Amino acid sequence: MYWEDTDAGGVVYHASYLRFMERARSEWLRSLGVAQSEFKARTGLAFLVRSMKLDFLKAALLDDELLVTVEVKERRAASILFGQVIRRRDGTRLIEAEVRVACVDVERMVPVRIPDDAIPGLTP
């Protein structure tokens, strides 16, 4: 953890966890060969967070090294539900989250069906 992620007491600020989970989902897509900017340019679509459920179990502190996991829990026609866990390097669970992202037509800002070939290995 860095100073910018913490409050004056060296405790990670709660909103920082949202950035960490977003980065993990972006890196997960990248690891599957999906460049979000290219996907948006090609299709006019983007994945936007629809809802989040977070359980704050323990606080991360300045200098903690964190690991963030991404797991697809459910796929619907126009959305994906991710399970995410943030742990310290020693395995201590800090945050458990469910994040639903919706596939949205960015021009009209309405949900649309996820193209079958949008994410390799993600079954319809």
Side-chain angles (χ1 to χ4, degrees):
M1 288 299 77
Y2 303 94
W3 280 112
E4 69 185 19
D5 299 315
T6 65
D7 62 17
V11 176
V12 172
Y13 181 62
H14 69 278
S16 295
Y17 297 109
L18 303 180
R19 288 194 316 270
F20 305 156
M21 290 186 292
E22 176 72 26
R23 290 174 190 156
R25 290 190 309 276
S26 293
E27 291 302 323
W28 174 80
L29 281 171
R30 187 173 288 124
S31 76
L32 295 173
V34 178
Q36 292 182 76
S37 57
E38 290 174 15
F39 177 74
K40 180 182 170 192
R42 181 172 47 83
T43 65
L45 306 177
F47 293 100
L48 305 180
V49 172
R50 167 68 174 88
S51 64
M52 297 182 104
K53 177 183 169 191
L54 291 99
D55 194 0
F56 295 88
L57 305 171
K58 294 183 187 271
L61 306 172
L62 180 66
D63 291 330
D64 280 349
E65 187 175 347
L66 303 183
L67 303 169
V68 184
T69 60
V70 177
E71 172 191 9
V72 175
K73 294 183 79 172
E74 175 185 76
R75 162 138 185 220
R76 293 184 181 167
S79 70
I80 302 168
L81 179 65
F82 292 101
Q84 293 193 257
V85 176
I86 300 177
R87 293 180 178 84
R88 277 196 196 102
R89 172 62 79 182
D90 69 6
T92 302
R93 291 170 82 91
L94 305 177
I95 307 291
E96 294 176 351
E98 287 189 343
V99 181
R100 183 169 298 280
V101 297
C103 185
V104 174
D105 177 312
V106 292
E107 186 148 326
R108 299 180 299 139
M109 293 308 285
V110 295
V112 296
R113 175 176 279 285
I114 300 169
D116 290 340
D117 63 348
I119 301 173
L122 188 66
T123 57

